[in-house]
Amino acid sequence: MIEFDKASNDFQKLGKDGYDAVVRSYGEVNKGFQEIGTSLSDYSKQAFADATAAFEKLVGAKSLEHAIEIQSSYAKAAYDKWVREMTKVSEMYVSVARDAYKPVEKAVAKSTAAVTA
């Protein structure tokens, strides 16, 4: 009977450890998605400001050649900024996945060690 009680307590502890790991993992995912959202929001605001500035320059263009130059310059800069932002965001997603997995990985290792011991 004492063995059953010990096994039951060990099983409950493993369940609690697993639950705690999931909660910590969820917290990491939530924090990471908030950071990604903030980054994308900041990028969108800046992209809108850049587009507005380019439009104002286009309105003031004195010739078709100057308008094409303004548009080409804006398109290149916008594309370069977009590529940088998407690279940064993809790295953030990888970081979120890695950080969210750490608590689960530790709990699994701990559970495996407890079961095999």
Side-chain angles (χ1 to χ4, degrees), residues 32-106:
F33 283 165
Q34 286 177 349
E35 291 172 359
I36 290 168
T38 299
S39 178
L40 289 173
S41 176
D42 292 347
Y43 167 76
S44 296
K45 289 175 187 175
Q46 185 60 51
F48 183 77
D50 292 346
T52 301
F55 179 75
E56 289 172 356
K57 287 180 185 178
L58 278 173
V59 169
K62 302 291 185 207
S63 66
L64 179 61
E65 291 81 19
H66 189 232
I68 291 171
E69 180 183 316
I70 292 168
Q71 179 60 28
S72 296
S73 176
Y74 166 73
K76 182 181 178 338
Y79 178 75
D80 289 344
K81 287 178 183 179
W82 180 81
V83 168
R84 277 195 308 273
E85 184 66 21
M86 292 307 110
T87 300
K88 181 176 108 178
V89 167
S90 67
E91 290 169 357
M92 291 172 81
Y93 273 112
V94 169
S95 179
V96 167
R98 185 176 36 250
D99 292 346
Y101 182 66
K102 284 179 186 177
V104 175
E105 181 181 37
K106 288 178 185 177

